[in-house]
Amino acid sequence: MTTQLDELVRGDDLKALKAAVEAMSSLDIAAQLERLEPDQRAVVFRLLRKNRALAVFEHLDPAHQEELLSRLRAGRVRDLLEQMDPDDRARLLDEMPAGIASRLLAGLSERERQMTAELLGYAEGTAGRIMSPEWVSLQPTMTIGDALERVREVGASAETVYVLPVTDESRRLIGTAELRDLVLARPGTTVDELMRVDPYSVTAVERQEAAARLMAEADLLALPVVDSERRLLGVITVDDAMEILEAEETEDMARAGGTEPLGRPYFGVSALGLARARVVWLLILIIAATLTVNVLAYFEETLDAVVTLALFVPLLIGTGGNTGSQAATMVVRALAVGEVHFADLPRVVRREFVTGVVLGGMLALLAFVPVALIFDAQIATIVSLTLVSICTLATFLGAMLPMLAKRVGIDPAVISAPLITTLVDATGLVMYFLIANAVLNL
Amino acid sequence: MTTQLDELVRGDDLKALKAAVEAMSSLDIAAQLERLEPDQRAVVFRLLRKNRALAVFEHLDPAHQEELLSRLRAGRVRDLLEQMDPDDRARLLDEMPAGIASRLLAGLSERERQMTAELLGYAEGTAGRIMSPEWVSLQPTMTIGDALERVREVGASAETVYVLPVTDESRRLIGTAELRDLVLARPGTTVDELMRVDPYSVTAVERQEAAARLMAEADLLALPVVDSERRLLGVITVDDAMEILEAEETEDMARAGGTEPLGRPYFGVSALGLARARVVWLLILIIAATLTVNVLAYFEETLDAVVTLALFVPLLIGTGGNTGSQAATMVVRALAVGEVHFADLPRVVRREFVTGVVLGGMLALLAFVPVALIFDAQIATIVSLTLVSICTLATFLGAMLPMLAKRVGIDPAVISAPLITTLVDATGLVMYFLIANAVLNL
């Protein structure tokens, strides 16, 4: 069982608290800090020794970092910022109001300030924003002795020395060498003999997520970032790639559930903040849902004549919503991980159409007998026919809409289960009553 | 624009096809292979030169690897398997029927066979199953010269040399050293001076996901795996961690959408396979949805008396479903990334309760006037009161149920949006009609 800092903080015994944090790993301290109240967080943080404080600080989410800084004195803030990696620092400054960010930036040393300002020059969400401007590059003609010497000279401040970009005399990226290969090669080998030519790279203006996804797929520990003329600008390391993918997936999950992403940990947001993240979609969805009121009002006569029809409304539209969500979720994920592209639209639609007919047909067959026995054959016919049509329609829409969204530049995850459900609700009801009117000759 | 292999395969010009694949990266070839028909895949694969073939093969998903092997001749299959990393090989053999797997295993060289058999001895989903049994370990008394010498001697076959486990004479893990620190240290330094003591590690029987999550949080390139006596058994590398997290997230997304995870890429499954993955949940949900039929049948008199009430059924239960999904999705994700634990239940429930009341209250206020104008004040009162109660209930259930599921060992993602929606549908209807009866004095 890990030590629970919140109890110790409430206990107000600073000595016991200090002893407790000294026995914990930086990661554990950071994880527990994120779950404390803001005031308590500052109390614990002030107890940490200098190096420890930096390590813990680096493990915190940018939103928590910002909030913590606002409770520390100026000198401490400057020290922490000065020692952060430029890319982490850029991410933190991003979180802050512009005025505060530029004041903090001005307090940094010349070198650190310049590196951070450069990163902040790239748009949010781009690879340039999160690359590290501190790398060790090699020349192709170096022997491995020279190369290792260079790593020893400048490696201490670099974010990684495991993947070493190789550049030509005009700083253009022409290869990458792995430290492993340098260490394992026999003396006298030159860098161009063991470097990977035509290495993976991204340009600084590409999306972070594309860079991270590439690193995951190609098993890269670091990815060079270049400008439009292939001149080296920085490297993205695998730990940042993992963070990007995790944040991206948290966003996709939030959207799939019909909320705006929080952009910070769950407990980093108040209950009102939660409500704010959800209210916009809820409003959009409830306005879309007024369509269902209109559809039902339009068919009120049919309903009045056969009130039994009302009994199946939630079941039918619920099933439509479920099949639609299933298809949408799967397609959204397949798009996100790159298994499916827009060009696959006809193939996806064909597959999902078949799936929808099969599922709807099966449910219709299963439903017919019980409904016929409990109600009558006419109602059973209506319910069964509606199940087939609603499942087919829902699966089709659920698969197609995210792909179209991606095509026009909308995050496919926005075409979430709740949105599909709401769309299918109204169209499903129209089909239900049209089928009912036809079967009942109304 | 990348070369489209499918067109070339259909064109039947093997020479052009061969030239095309030689110009592509292994990763691109693998990505395109996964989108071809099985027969075409084998045609392209046979054109690859030996080393290329292995690189491409390693980028394929295990399901595709298996299927491809079934179309290659025995000698080729043996070569490929022999050269794979033991952990990747174990994952592939897992995919196969036991008979084929053990025949293939028997065809391997003694060394490779033993390493793979050892991994297969751990249960599926455990850290032991995916660790690499090929590592370079150091002793604490070594100088960095000795240590680098050792890396050169045995590093070629190890999965990583960037993180080097340090063990005592009984093979117990006592630290980890980074190759970076070895290279940067001044000569004469001993390993114990620069190793990280009390290093992160997992036991072989822990869940893969926990290991991967730890690596992401602590920014580790490799994580030692030990037995219950802290004896070193293997290491997990960051590329495997990324793969595990991606698979886990694909699973969570599928469950959030109410389907069983496919366990393979989208196009790796036929339309019938898609239907199979979805039908079980669809059946469970439609059976649960018959509750709504019962509720409505129970209140049929009320419905018959005021048929207008039926008009709001889809809107009300839809809104309940949406608020429930929102809460569930957020809590499921927070549980998955470790931001929320079971001990936080009271805090989470309190927050979500407040959120539910706020959201429901807001929607109720917004709905009252239009409904009162179009219908009447009584209907507006019923709809508004139901909105508040349904939103509060749905948010509460959506937050609580995933936490309870986790507590009893069920994947919280199973308590998905569709399941919450279906539960809220029936209870929401009961509240609606109880409120209606009260307001209308029926």
Side-chain angles (χ1 to χ4, degrees), chain A residues 56-242:
Chain A
V56 169
F57 192 74
E58 287 180 328
H59 280 306
L60 292 176
D61 177 89
H64 283 125
Q65 288 178 336
E66 185 210 350
E67 197 248 25
L68 185 57
L69 286 188
S70 70
R71 285 159 207 270
L72 299 177
R73 57 185 177 70
R76 191 87 196 255
V77 170
R78 201 179 322 115
D79 282 357
L80 276 173
L81 274 182
E82 180 73 27
Q83 290 169 73
M84 289 177 81
D85 284 332
D87 52 329
D88 295 336
R89 194 191 293 134
R91 219 166 311 164
L92 167 56
L93 292 176
D94 253 356
E95 278 285 315
M96 298 184 167
I100 300 181
S102 63
R103 210 187 58 223
L104 290 177
L105 199 54
L108 292 175
S109 68
E110 177 64 15
R111 178 167 185 273
E112 299 291 327
R113 197 180 53 69
Q114 259 185 4
M115 284 195 295
T116 308
E118 196 188 305
L119 299 190
L120 288 172
Y122 294 100
E124 230 175 298
T126 60
R129 198 62 170 264
I130 50 138
M131 67 191 181
S132 168
E134 298 177 291
W135 69 80
V136 181
S137 65
L138 304 177
Q139 273 69 60
T141 50
M142 283 177 163
T143 63
I144 57 159
D146 300 338
L148 285 172
E149 192 46 47
R150 185 159 162 74
V151 170
R152 276 187 206 104
E153 267 166 34
V154 293
S157 68
E159 182 137 342
T160 181
V161 296
Y162 295 139
V163 177
L164 304 157
V166 182
T167 53
D168 64 14
E169 54 290 341
S170 48
R171 240 182 66 204
R172 282 206 182 75
L173 179 73
I174 54 172
T176 49
E178 279 235 28
L179 183 63
R180 173 191 189 132
D181 296 328
L182 291 183
V183 169
L184 294 182
R186 55 181 175 67
T189 314
T190 54
V191 167
D192 58 358
E193 290 177 68
L194 50 73
M195 74 181 184
R196 167 189 196 121
V197 288
D198 196 15
Y200 292 105
S201 67
V202 290
T203 64
V205 296
E206 279 181 71
R207 307 295 311 160
Q208 288 171 6
E209 199 200 348
R213 198 64 75 188
L214 174 62
M215 293 180 71
E217 270 161 27
D219 295 346
L220 306 177
L221 294 181
L223 178 67
V225 180
V226 295
D227 66 14
S228 56
E229 277 151 18
R230 283 194 73 71
R231 267 189 303 261
L232 186 63
L233 297 173
V235 291
I236 299 178
T237 47
V238 68
D239 52 314
D240 291 325
M242 287 178 99

Side-chain angles (χ1 to χ4, degrees), chain B residues 192-240:
Chain B
D192 58 357
E193 291 177 68
L194 51 73
M195 74 181 185
R196 171 192 191 117
V197 289
D198 195 14
Y200 292 106
S201 67
V202 290
T203 64
V205 296
E206 279 180 70
R207 309 294 311 160
Q208 287 171 8
E209 199 203 348
R213 198 62 75 185
L214 174 62
M215 293 179 72
E217 272 163 25
D219 295 346
L220 306 177
L221 294 181
L223 178 68
V225 180
V226 296
D227 66 13
S228 56
E229 277 152 18
R230 284 195 71 73
R231 268 190 302 259
L232 186 62
L233 297 172
V235 291
I236 299 178
T237 48
V238 68
D239 52 313
D240 291 326

Side-chain angles (χ1 to χ4, degrees), chain B residues 253-271:
Chain B
M253 278 290 269
R255 295 228 163 94
T259 64
E260 267 312 290
L262 295 178
R264 50 181 68 195
Y266 179 79
F267 283 126
V269 173
S270 66

Side-chain angles (χ1 to χ4, degrees), chain A residues 247-435:
Chain A
E248 191 61 38
E249 263 136 20
T250 299
E251 243 177 56
D252 280 1
M253 279 289 271
R255 295 229 163 91
T259 62
E260 267 312 290
L262 295 179
R264 49 182 68 193
Y266 180 78
F267 283 126
V269 173
S270 66
L272 283 182
L274 291 181
R276 206 177 311 121
R278 299 179 191 171
V279 73
V280 178
W281 272 107
L282 220 45
L283 281 176
I284 293 174
L285 294 172
I286 204 173
I287 290 167
T290 57
L291 260 180
T292 61
V293 181
N294 292 324
V295 171
L296 289 172
Y298 183 82
F299 290 106
E300 200 167 351
E301 257 177 64
T302 314
L303 257 185
D304 228 354
V306 194
V307 83
T308 313
L309 287 176
L311 307 191
F312 293 96
V313 163
L315 181 136
L316 290 172
I317 63 178
T319 302
N322 291 336
T323 43
S325 307
Q326 290 182 326
T329 311
M330 221 165 248
V331 170
V332 165
R333 181 64 183 165
L335 284 169
V337 299
E339 285 166 14
V340 165
H341 304 278
F342 183 73
D344 298 315
L345 185 65
R347 198 164 156 205
V348 170
V349 164
R350 208 159 51 230
R351 284 159 58 89
E352 293 291 341
F353 185 83
V354 173
T355 309
V357 173
V358 169
L359 289 173
M362 245 189 44
L363 295 182
L365 284 178
L366 284 173
F368 189 85
V369 175
V371 176
L373 289 177
I374 300 171
F375 298 92
D376 61 48
Q378 275 190 321
I379 298 283
T381 309
I382 296 167
V383 167
S384 290
L385 288 177
T386 307
L387 277 173
V388 181
S389 356
I390 224 169
C391 285
T392 310
L393 172 82
T395 313
F396 173 79
L397 285 180
M400 198 187 56
L401 292 182
M403 297 190 77
L404 293 181
K406 172 136 192 179
R407 181 64 172 181
V408 298
I410 299 173
D411 181 353
V414 165
I415 311 301
S416 58
L419 189 60
I420 298 277
T421 304
T422 307
L423 286 178
V424 171
D425 279 0
T427 41
L429 285 175
V430 173
M431 297 197 299
Y432 181 40
F433 284 100
L434 289 180
I435 292 172

Side-chain angles (χ1 to χ4, degrees), chain B residues 33-350:
Chain B
L33 278 187
E34 296 206 339
R35 298 148 52 77
L36 293 179
E37 299 302 323
D39 282 329
Q40 304 176 331
R41 211 175 282 151
V43 169
V44 176
F45 193 78
R46 283 194 207 98
L47 292 177
L48 299 172
R49 268 171 307 118
K50 212 166 165 184
N51 284 342
R52 209 43 176 333
L54 179 67
V56 169
F57 192 74
E58 286 181 328
H59 280 305
L60 292 175
D61 176 90
H64 284 125
Q65 288 178 337
E66 184 210 350
E67 196 248 25
L68 185 58
L69 285 187
S70 70
R71 285 158 208 270
L72 300 177
R73 57 186 178 69
R76 190 87 196 255
V77 170
R78 202 181 319 113
D79 281 356
L80 276 173
L81 273 182
E82 180 74 26
Q83 289 169 75
M84 288 177 83
D85 284 332
D87 52 329
D88 294 336
R89 193 190 292 132
R91 221 167 308 165
L92 167 56
L93 293 175
D94 253 355
E95 279 286 314
M96 300 183 166
I100 300 181
S102 64
R103 211 188 59 223
L104 289 176
L105 200 54
L108 292 175
S109 68
E110 176 65 14
R111 177 167 184 274
E112 298 291 328
R113 197 180 54 65
Q114 259 185 3
M115 283 195 294
T116 309
E118 196 188 304
L119 298 189
L120 288 172
Y122 293 99
E124 229 176 299
T126 60
R129 198 63 170 264
I130 49 138
M131 67 191 179
S132 168
E134 296 177 292
W135 70 80
V136 182
S137 64
L138 305 177
Q139 273 68 60
T141 50
M142 284 177 162
T143 62
I144 56 161
D146 300 340
L148 284 172
E149 193 45 46
R150 184 158 165 76
V151 170
R152 278 188 204 101
E153 268 166 31
V154 293
S157 67
E159 182 137 340
T160 181
V161 296
Y162 295 139
V163 177
L164 305 156
V166 182
T167 53
D168 63 14
E169 54 290 340
S170 49
R171 240 185 62 205
R172 283 205 180 78
L173 178 73
I174 54 172
T176 49
E178 279 235 29
L179 183 63
R180 173 191 190 131
D181 297 329
L182 292 183
V183 169
L184 294 183
R186 50 180 179 69
T189 314
T190 53
V191 167
D192 58 357
E193 291 177 68
L194 51 73
M195 74 181 185
R196 171 192 191 117
V197 289
D198 195 14
Y200 292 106
S201 67
V202 290
T203 64
V205 296
E206 279 180 70
R207 309 294 311 160
Q208 287 171 8
E209 199 203 348
R213 198 62 75 185
L214 174 62
M215 293 179 72
E217 272 163 25
D219 295 346
L220 306 177
L221 294 181
L223 178 68
V225 180
V226 296
D227 66 13
S228 56
E229 277 152 18
R230 284 195 71 73
R231 268 190 302 259
L232 186 62
L233 297 172
V235 291
I236 299 178
T237 48
V238 68
D239 52 313
D240 291 326
M242 287 178 101
E243 226 169 81
I244 293 162
L245 290 179
E246 184 174 302
E248 190 62 36
E249 263 135 20
T250 299
E251 242 177 56
D252 280 1
M253 278 290 269
R255 295 228 163 94
T259 64
E260 267 312 290
L262 295 178
R264 50 181 68 195
Y266 179 79
F267 283 126
V269 173
S270 66
L272 282 183
L274 290 180
R276 205 177 312 121
R278 299 179 191 173
V279 73
V280 178
W281 272 108
L282 219 46
L283 281 176
I284 294 174
L285 293 172
I286 205 173
I287 290 167
T290 55
L291 260 179
T292 61
V293 181
N294 292 325
V295 171
L296 288 171
Y298 183 83
F299 289 108
E300 201 167 351
E301 258 176 64
T302 313
L303 257 184
D304 228 353
V306 193
V307 84
T308 313
L309 287 177
L311 307 191
F312 293 96
V313 164
L315 180 135
L316 290 172
I317 64 179
T319 302
N322 291 336
T323 44
S325 308
Q326 290 182 326
T329 311
M330 222 165 245
V331 170
V332 165
R333 182 65 183 164
L335 284 169
V337 298
E339 285 168 11
V340 164
H341 306 277
F342 183 72
D344 298 315
L345 185 65
R347 199 167 155 202
V348 170
V349 165
R350 209 161 48 231

